[in-house]
Amino acid sequence: MKGKGAGLTNHWRRFLPKRRLGGMALADGTQLSTVRSVDDAGVFADILKGVEKPAEQTERTEHLRTLLLAQTPRAVLAQIQMDKHKHGYHNREKRLYELIDFNDMFVNLVLATPHGELKGFAERLYADMNSFCRRLETPMFTPEQFDAIVRGLSIEIAVYRAARYTGFGAHMTSRVEDAFGMDMVITNPDTKQTLNIDCKALPAFRHRLEDMVKHGRISEAQLIKADSDQYITTTQHQGSESVPVTLLCIEPDSVGDIHDFTLDHPEKLRDLLNKIFLNTR
């Protein structure tokens, strides 16, 4: 008679390729199905990050999915600590980087997933994460927390995909570049101009504008113009370095709705980007 543990093992084995692929089964034979604690999951994730990603798309997607699942318990606990100590604590930077790692892996997984499989992707992923955390008897993101993560990452993913779809060059930023507050760099293939883009939903866009006025970085007139244009470019400083960053408002009236990490009307983003490029020559 099969016990409950065997059923869970079989459930999680579907996320792993056959042992011959090596990407999901470590050298000692460890697989996600053998993980029994949050510490185990963290060790598994750390080791798996150092494993070469498979070249074949399906295998690569499975690799990223397994890695994201393994990172989930640690990310959830980091989120709980961040929410509990909003004004800082001694491990805040470490917890923040754990969330950044999780978000980066989430983005990588979505971008590696074929477009036809994105419908219902977030719902399926939440169910799988929830099952994994429940098996480890550790907290899971609340639906509200996960929804906030998905909504935030959906914006930058949708902009990135739409930019590339409409002919622009685009790459997601590294942590160093992100220190300047940018999500991606978009390149005009004709002029070779680049834009350092920070994508925001309308409420966050307006909050940032108000914050810049409060700190004397822009004037009230510039705020009104930015709100009308749906973007503003300002200089961001980090140490002795400075770069121009374009704060871009992503909301239905300007670029259309987002469904399944995809802009419904990518041509609207194309037109807005062309306008920005034209005005920054």
Side-chain angles (χ1 to χ4, degrees):
M1 180 178 176
K2 293 184 178 180
K4 183 178 180 182
L8 287 170
T9 298
N10 291 334
H11 174 74
W12 286 101
R13 188 165 287 138
R14 67 191 177 93
F15 296 111
L16 308 172
K18 295 178 182 177
R19 192 174 291 262
R20 62 181 174 81
L21 298 176
M24 309 298 177
L26 304 181
D28 61 0
T30 304
Q31 299 184 44
L32 190 59
S33 60
T34 67
V35 170
R36 291 291 178 266
S37 68
V38 174
D39 287 343
D40 284 352
V43 170
F44 184 91
D46 290 340
I47 296 175
L48 197 57
K49 287 177 187 176
V51 175
E52 184 177 357
K53 296 179 180 64
E56 197 276 324
Q57 183 179 12
T58 300
E59 297 169 8
R60 181 181 177 85
T61 302
E62 288 297 306
H63 176 99
L64 293 171
R65 188 179 183 86
T66 300
L67 183 47
L68 183 64
L69 288 168
Q71 287 182 270
T72 299
R74 195 159 54 181
V76 173
L77 295 177
Q79 184 68 63
I80 291 172
Q81 288 298 313
M82 295 289 285
D83 291 345
K84 186 181 296 184
H85 305 283
K86 294 183 182 297
H87 301 293
Y89 59 105
H90 69 286
N91 279 332
R92 180 179 174 82
E93 185 171 339
K94 181 180 179 182
R95 299 290 84 83
L96 179 61
Y97 276 124
E98 287 172 351
L99 289 173
I100 290 173
D101 274 342
F102 177 86
N103 288 346
D104 286 348
M105 194 55 56
F106 189 107
V107 171
N108 290 340
L109 175 58
V110 174
L111 293 178
T113 301
H115 180 260
E117 297 177 16
L118 291 179
K119 187 174 181 60
F121 174 90
E123 292 78 6
R124 294 191 300 273
L125 187 60
Y126 184 81
D128 292 333
M129 289 176 171
N130 193 43
S131 294
F132 185 48
C133 288
R134 188 167 59 246
R135 176 161 74 82
L136 300 187
E137 299 182 341
T138 189
M140 169 56 183
F141 293 117
T142 66
E144 293 76 19
Q145 286 173 326
F146 189 73
D147 182 63
I149 291 170
V150 172
R151 279 188 287 108
L153 297 180
S154 287
I155 291 175
E156 62 181 83
I157 292 170
V159 169
Y160 171 84
R161 297 179 72 235
R164 291 180 63 89
Y165 178 77
T166 55
F168 295 98
H171 76 263
M172 294 294 192
T173 55
S174 67
R175 280 184 181 172
V176 173
E177 292 168 312
D178 190 51
F180 290 99
M182 65 182 82
D183 297 316
M184 70 195 73
V185 178
I186 295 178
T187 304
N188 184 319
D190 298 322
T191 65
K192 308 306 179 186
Q193 290 173 280
T194 60
L195 295 174
N196 302 313
I197 298 291
D198 180 13
C199 307
K200 297 294 182 187
L202 181 59
F205 178 76
R206 286 180 171 165
H207 179 77
R208 179 67 65 83
L209 293 179
E210 291 168 359
D211 192 58
M212 286 194 285
V213 170
K214 178 181 178 181
H215 290 89
R217 298 188 55 213
I218 64 172
S219 66
E220 289 279 358
Q222 287 175 304
L223 179 150
I224 293 171
K225 185 176 188 306
D227 194 55
S228 173
D229 292 342
Q230 303 290 275
Y231 78 92
I232 187 172
T233 300
T234 58
T235 301
Q236 302 295 321
H237 302 277
Q238 182 72 16
S240 60
E241 297 183 74
S242 61
V243 297
V245 175
T246 298
L247 188 66
L248 189 63
C249 182
I250 303 300
E251 55 97 23
D253 288 344
S254 61
V255 295
D257 287 315
I258 296 173
H259 293 98
D260 303 319
F261 306 97
T262 305
L263 280 169
D264 292 346
H265 301 286
E267 70 279 0
K268 291 186 177 183
L269 177 71
R270 176 200 62 203
D271 294 343
L272 179 56
L273 290 174
N274 280 330
K275 175 185 174 182
I276 298 172
F277 276 120
L278 184 64
N279 291 335
T280 54
R281 285 181 176 176

